[in-house]
Amino acid sequence: MLIRKLFRFENAHIVRNCSSDRCKRSLHGHSYQVEVLLEASALDNGQMVYDFGLMKSDIRTLIDSFDHAVAYWDRDLPDYIAACQQFSARWIALPVSPSAEQFSRVFFTLIDRALTLTDMANGEQDVRLHSVIVHETATGYAQCFRADIDNPRIGPVALEHIEFSPQVQAEWPDPTLWQRLLAGGRRSNPSVDLQVS
Ligand SMILES: [Zn+2]
């Protein structure tokens, strides 16, 4: 069974090497919508795949990190990167270009890491990330499946090469979020008192 939760964020970028001139040469923004799709073969004690409220922890924090920020490819021109860091307190350096396709792969990788490091506490059954859809505009989106992460023709998204600006990190509810995820540190969902058995 599949569930889907929608998140939103505003972000600025330049997508180098693309075909459209406006996109490749001018800093511009989009109102992104991100759909996170989770699947499981059975339901938890609340008869859910995964409580939507539980996605308001690390998953929401990771997506919200990109809100009102500029995302740039770490191989972009040094002067551009310096300007992003100088004039925007919120920036994210990515090891891939910030196209909708790569954003969906970045979010898949981030959310998959967060989910697999979460100890379930309400009888959830083999909850796993199905896919991530990133709507860049009202008419265009990219969807990343696990096969798109494992695809050697595209290559993995190296989490250790993603860098969040100090301001982004300062706004996290858990300031150790990134170190925890990179180090493989586990966190547990809150325990649940069952009312009906
Ligand atoms: Zn764009």
Side-chain angles (χ1 to χ4, degrees):
M1 190 164 192
L2 266 183
I3 62 169
R4 180 187 68 162
K5 187 163 176 63
L6 180 68
F7 300 86
R8 302 170 194 272
F9 68 94
E10 318 287 334
N11 191 273
H13 70 176
I14 292 177
V15 181
R16 302 296 185 193
N17 303 339
C18 71
S19 302
S20 82
D21 200 57
R22 285 188 177 184
C23 220
K24 68 199 286 184
R25 299 188 196 282
S26 298
L27 184 62
H28 63 281
H30 297 281
S31 296
Y32 289 89
Q33 296 191 58
V34 180
E35 296 180 54
V36 178
L37 291 90
L38 303 183
E39 63 180 342
S41 59
L43 302 180
D44 68 8
N45 293 325
Q47 303 189 3
M48 301 171 171
V49 168
Y50 195 62
D51 195 314
F52 289 127
L54 295 173
M55 287 200 248
K56 294 178 179 174
S57 185
D58 286 352
I59 293 175
R60 181 170 72 176
T61 300
L62 288 165
I63 295 171
D64 185 64
S65 296
F66 290 77
D67 184 54
H68 284 72
V70 57
Y72 62 82
W73 186 11
D74 63 11
R75 286 166 60 180
D76 210 312
L77 303 172
D79 286 352
Y80 172 67
I81 290 177
C84 287
Q85 295 188 0
Q86 181 180 356
F87 296 106
S88 177
R90 291 174 60 82
W91 52 261
I92 301 104
L94 298 173
V96 294
S97 187
S99 62
E101 289 81 348
Q102 291 288 28
F103 259 140
S104 71
R105 297 179 73 246
V106 165
F107 286 126
F108 189 104
T109 306
L110 288 169
I111 294 166
D112 192 50
R113 174 68 63 96
L115 199 61
T116 55
L117 291 175
T118 299
D119 291 326
M120 303 296 163
N122 196 27
E124 290 88 349
Q125 305 290 320
D126 65 354
V127 179
R128 58 200 175 275
L129 183 57
H130 172 272
S131 61
V132 173
I133 299 174
V134 172
H135 298 259
E136 187 177 83
T137 64
T139 57
Y141 74 78
Q143 183 167 12
C144 175
F145 299 89
R146 192 167 301 276
D148 300 312
I149 299 299
D150 300 334
N151 183 349
R153 298 181 68 191
I154 308 177
V157 176
L159 284 187
E160 64 273 21
H161 291 147
I162 297 177
E163 184 179 359
F164 296 95
S165 75
Q167 180 62 38
V168 170
Q169 298 196 42
E171 295 178 35
W172 286 340
D174 173 9
T176 69
L177 169 66
W178 196 232
Q179 297 143 268
R180 172 162 56 81
L181 291 182
L182 288 183
R186 303 192 66 80
R187 61 171 284 280
S188 183
N189 283 336
S191 60
V192 177
D193 294 327
L194 300 183
Q195 299 152 293
V196 179
S197 58

